[in-house]
């Protein structure tokens, strides 16, 4: 006499992806697609239809998450700065020798923001703001928030060198201007190694005004919405 077959255990369906996760993924795809389209096609060329197609989402999803094209552009710019701040912080904290932080700050800022798609996207917004007063005002407000975020980080990692004639925060404003100017014409440079040389030379100049704080192994204090 054979025993009856064991009852089959019903297979549970795979849990459906949470709505919050799907929503976050859609936002992420739209923000990334906006940066890509800005870098490739400029501000005027980066239409909503193009961004939606690049993101692989519906137009309704775009409207749900971002009420207007300009809102999407500005949130993409803020997200871009947030990513750069986080990535550069990771680079600095990963250095085994704090003495290399000044050079790595210059080259890291170049690599994270000024040498590729991120800079081209930001430059497209900046150029468009010369003819769009509303965009200019929004970008100006964003840059104030960025500065409020970065200045405590400068104080956290660096101090004035003996005999310095300018404050560390001023040095970093000048660094941003230098990197922006270098990036704006980098596509014309005949030798990429020359760009790297200029970065390292500028780091040496900064060393006359800055010193790296020793034994700093923590992140800077949070100081605004970009953190």
């Amino acid at each position: 006499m054979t025993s009856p077959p064991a009852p089959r255990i019903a297979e549970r369906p795979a849990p459906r992806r949470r709505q919050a996760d799907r929503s976050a993924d859609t936002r992420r795809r739209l923000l990334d697609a906006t940066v890509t389209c800005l870098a490739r096609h400029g501000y005027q060329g980066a239409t909503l239809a193009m961004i939606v197609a690049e993101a692989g989402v519906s137009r309704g999803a775009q409207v749900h998450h971002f009420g207007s094209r300009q809102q999407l552009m500005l949130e993409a710019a803020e997200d871009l700065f947030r990513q750069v701040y986080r990535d550069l912080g990771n680079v600095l904290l990963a250095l085994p020798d704090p003495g290399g932080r000044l050079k790595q700050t210059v080259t890291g800022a170049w690599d994270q923001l000024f040498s590729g798609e991120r800079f081209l996207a930001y430059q497209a917004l900046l150029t468009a703001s010369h003819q769009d007063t509303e965009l200019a005002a929004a970008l100006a407000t964003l840059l104030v928030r960025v500065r409020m975020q970065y200045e405590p980080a400068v104080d956290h990692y660096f101090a004035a060198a003996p005999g310095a004639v300018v404050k560390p925060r001023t040095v970093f404003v000048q660094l941003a201007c230098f990197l922006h100017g270098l990036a704006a014409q980098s596509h014309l440079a005949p030798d990429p190694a020359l760009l790297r040389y200029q970065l390292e030379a500028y780091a040496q100049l900064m060393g006359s005004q800055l010193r790296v704080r020793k034994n700093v192994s923590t992140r800077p204090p949070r100081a605004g919405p970009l953190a």
Side-chain angles (χ1 to χ4, degrees):
M1 184 176 180
T2 60
S3 57
R8 296 181 61 185
I9 300 176
E11 295 182 0
R12 293 182 179 180
R16 296 186 62 184
R17 193 178 181 193
R18 292 191 309 168
Q19 178 62 33
D21 293 336
R22 293 196 298 272
S23 179
D25 178 68
T26 299
R27 284 182 60 87
R28 177 78 270 147
R29 291 165 69 178
L30 283 165
L31 292 172
D32 290 345
T34 300
V35 170
T36 296
C37 291
L38 280 169
R40 291 178 182 173
H41 308 288
Y43 184 75
Q44 296 300 329
T47 64
L48 282 177
M50 183 178 292
I51 293 171
V52 167
E54 177 70 26
V57 302
S58 68
R59 178 62 191 277
Q62 174 266 309
V63 173
H64 173 73
H65 289 284
F66 304 98
S68 67
R69 178 175 179 268
Q70 188 178 77
Q71 180 188 354
L72 175 56
M73 295 287 182
L74 292 174
E75 291 205 31
E78 181 169 336
D79 182 71
L80 181 151
F81 281 115
R82 185 185 298 112
Q83 289 185 58
V84 170
Y85 180 84
R86 182 183 62 247
D87 293 347
L88 187 54
N90 290 338
V91 168
L92 295 177
L93 290 176
L95 289 175
D97 176 19
R101 280 183 176 163
L102 185 54
K103 175 182 175 181
Q104 193 64 38
T105 298
V106 177
T107 57
W110 174 264
D111 293 336
Q112 295 298 331
L113 176 59
F114 290 94
S115 65
E117 187 176 81
R118 287 171 168 178
F119 172 75
L120 293 175
Y122 173 62
Q123 180 70 7
L125 289 170
L126 193 62
T127 300
S129 70
H130 286 278
Q131 286 77 42
D132 187 329
T133 56
E134 186 177 353
L135 176 62
L139 280 180
T141 299
L142 173 59
L143 290 177
V144 169
R145 292 164 58 192
V146 170
R147 188 181 72 245
M148 291 174 61
Q149 185 70 44
Y150 275 73
E151 286 181 343
V154 171
D155 296 337
H156 184 73
Y157 290 116
F158 303 99
V165 295
V166 294
K167 296 179 180 180
R169 293 184 178 188
T170 301
V171 174
F172 275 83
V173 170
Q174 295 171 345
L175 170 63
C177 294
F178 165 73
L179 292 176
H180 195 126
L182 194 65
Q185 56 185 328
S186 62
H187 63 294
L188 304 177
D191 183 4
L194 179 61
L195 296 176
R196 189 63 54 172
Y197 168 78
Q198 295 294 340
L199 295 172
E200 295 177 359
Y202 198 84
Q204 291 181 341
L205 290 175
M206 290 176 64
S208 68
Q209 302 298 310
L210 297 174
R211 63 175 177 83
V212 178
R213 294 188 186 276
K214 296 181 179 180
N215 303 319
V216 175
S217 59
T218 59
R219 294 185 179 278
R222 298 184 64 176
L226 291 178

